[in-house]
Amino acid sequence: QAQLVESGGGLVQAGGSLRLSCAASRIGFSAYNLGWYRQAPGKQRKLVAAITSDGSTNYADSVKARFSISRDDAKNTVYLQMNSLKPEDTAVYYCRAYYGSPISPINTYWGQGTQVTVAS
């Protein structure tokens, strides 16, 4: 079965940085689109950043110029570099791999999530 495992979350001070990683196994990684999502308490899960199999990226307005998504297909890993962190970035962060549309994917897999807490 396919598996996605996030790592790199933790507690940081506002203005600090974290680098999240998501390692995938048992999928044709390079053919998948990838995304990072986050869910804060009482809020819906929302897209933070995405990168397609072709390398095109997209970011939520709230994280533009601060976060950067990248992928290393040789390592079957997608990263989220988070800089200038703000308390409002606090959430559980999830990675996702999917074919096709993110709204109606042909196939999709989710990681277990990793907690990011930004202290004020």
Side-chain angles (χ1 to χ4, degrees):
Q1 301 124 300
Q3 185 176 11
L4 302 176
V5 180
E6 300 100 330
S7 62
L11 174 65
V12 297
Q13 189 174 355
S17 298
L18 283 174
R19 185 176 179 86
L20 305 183
S21 299
C22 176
S25 61
R26 293 185 171 273
I27 66 170
F29 188 84
S30 63
Y32 277 78
N33 305 307
L34 303 165
W36 285 97
Y37 297 72
R38 67 187 183 188
Q39 187 167 21
K43 304 292 185 180
Q44 294 188 75
R45 188 175 299 186
K46 299 182 69 175
L47 177 70
V48 176
I51 184 166
T52 69
S53 60
D54 294 329
S56 178
T57 59
N58 185 50
Y59 298 91
D61 287 342
S62 60
V63 306
K64 286 181 179 177
R66 298 190 298 118
F67 291 10
S68 179
I69 188 171
S70 61
R71 62 190 296 162
D72 187 337
D73 290 345
K75 296 181 179 179
N76 287 357
T77 301
V78 59
Y79 304 95
L80 184 67
Q81 179 67 46
M82 305 185 294
N83 300 319
S84 301
L85 283 161
K86 303 175 180 180
E88 51 262 46
D89 295 319
T90 295
V92 177
Y93 284 71
Y94 301 87
C95 66
R96 182 193 186 192
Y98 60 95
Y99 275 135
S101 169
I103 299 172
S104 185
I106 297 170
N107 200 9
T108 189
Y109 302 98
W110 290 89
Q112 82 287 352
T114 185
Q115 176 71 46
V116 172
T117 303
V118 184
S120 60

